[in-house]
Amino acid sequence: MKLLLIGSGGREHALAWKIAQSPLLEEFYAAPGNPGIGEHAVLVALNIDDHDAVLAFCREKGITFVVVGPEAPLVAGLADSLRAAGLAVFGPSAAAAQLEGSKGFTKDICARFGIPTGAYQRFNNAPKAKAYVREQGAPIVIKADGLAAGKGVTVAMTVEEALAAIDDCFEGAFGAAGAEVVVEAFLDGEEASFFCLCDGKTLLPLATAQDHKRVGDGDTGPNTGGMGAYSPAPVMTPDLVERTLKEIIEPTMRGMAELGMPFSGVFFAGLMITAKGPELIEYNVRFGDPECQVLMTRLKSDILPILYATATGTLDQVTAQWHDDPALTVVLASKGYPGSYEKNTPIRHIPAESADAKVFHAGTAMKDGQLVATGGRVLNVTARGKTVSAAQARAYALLDTVEWENGFCRRDIGWRAIERE
Ligand code: AMP
Ligand code: GLY
């Protein structure tokens, strides 16, 4: 198979690393990729927003399968453009990607198909949103409707904080994403993520994971894209996984098909495990970053036939085998992240991979023959172990051999699971 992978983060490096192990792979391209992905695929400088250019490249190289990593090109309809030209694509249509692209859309799907989630209202102006907040009281959650790189959500502990968040949204803090606001009931519980493939009519559950969104140890400081993750998430007992499938994922799959926008790709369900059971916080329509890194580290099966089956409506014909051992990944980020940080700082040494540990590249680049850090989240040090504590010890031991002065990380990734062990 000749394959093109779209994306350039740690998630895509993990996918590339796993895809490259497939005996079915003949030629492998990635756009734009990063130096880690470049160890497995030929990197191409394509403008992903230019769907015709992506298609022309696929035609030129005889590429038949495109795997889309991030959400933005999916929301922009890249999968639709490529599918219309006869290519197989892993990733949903623009219509189905609204599950991530519009929080209001997802809440309406939940209301219509009886999916458990916090009570909510949608607003397109501040006065009405504020009146609703005053009526409901705090704690309460204010969300910009559109894609806001994970920054559009305020969990407000006071009414004043909620009112300020509403002003921020409508005053343009999140650009067009904040033109509409969802005000949502605060859900109390432990968060977990559930990943499940869907080809429109069949589901293949993958695994559970837990992210660490706050920048600081002990879950303190501002939100980030994710500072580390592990899989599986012990909070997700087999019973809760079953309930998540029956009460959340299956009704979404059926509902989307019924509305004429069948979902194809990966459901990444952000869940709150409340006293009532699993409730949906949000959907993402792509793998999590850094959750994908731990999923790929645990997956035993060849991923290529699984992704291809998802894209071609034959998910009922494949299965996925997993290492029982947990995997854990620690994000090394540039000092200052998620605020401003220095770019192009040199990374002098990255340790080699072993059977069950690997450093994935996220925001890295080659400049004049030197590997440098260009992003906020830069490296993902990932390991498997018999327990989460063992995986954690291995990941931090490996991380401490990375030579990069401008990097920092959390030192407590996995603490919830380790407390349980
Ligand atoms: P999201 O971007 O929707 O994942 O929201 C970011 C974070 O805000 C989530 O991971 C939760 O920690 C928190 N959050 C979102 N919605 C709620 C809610 N209804 N109740 C409590 N916390 C929430
Ligand atoms: N780590 C959270 C996300 O990928 O959205």
Side-chain angles (χ1 to χ4, degrees), residues 18 47 61 75 86 92 148 175 191 213 220 232 268 274 308 327 354:
K18 194 64 191 160
N47 174 6
K61 298 293 182 188
V75 171
E191 274 184 72
K213 286 196 202 288
T220 54
F268 164 4
T274 71
Y308 194 68
S354 62

Side-chain angles (χ1 to χ4, degrees), residues 11 100 211 213 225-226 268 282 284 286-291 377:
R11 164 183 50 214
E100 177 161 0
D211 193 8
K213 286 196 202 288
F268 164 4
E282 63 163 2
N284 297 306
R286 35 78 194 175
F287 283 106
D289 190 349
E291 292 91 329
R377 296 188 298 165

Side-chain angles (χ1 to χ4, degrees), residues 171-195:
E171 282 164 12
F174 309 110
E180 188 180 318
V181 165
V182 173
V183 181
E184 186 180 307
F186 174 79
L187 298 173
D188 199 15
E190 184 169 341
E191 274 184 72
S193 301
F194 181 63
F195 294 86

Side-chain angles (χ1 to χ4, degrees), residues 224-274:
T224 69
M227 293 301 290
Y230 56 90
S231 169
V235 64
M236 289 295 286
T237 59
D239 174 56
L240 284 173
V241 168
E242 199 52 40
R243 285 189 59 185
T244 301
L245 279 167
K246 290 273 168 300
E247 297 170 21
I248 297 178
I249 311 286
E250 282 173 15
T252 307
M253 174 180 75
R254 283 197 302 270
M256 293 297 284
E258 191 182 309
L259 296 175
M261 28 186 151
F263 184 89
S264 160
V266 59
F267 281 122
F268 164 4
L271 305 171
M272 189 69 86
I273 310 306
T274 71

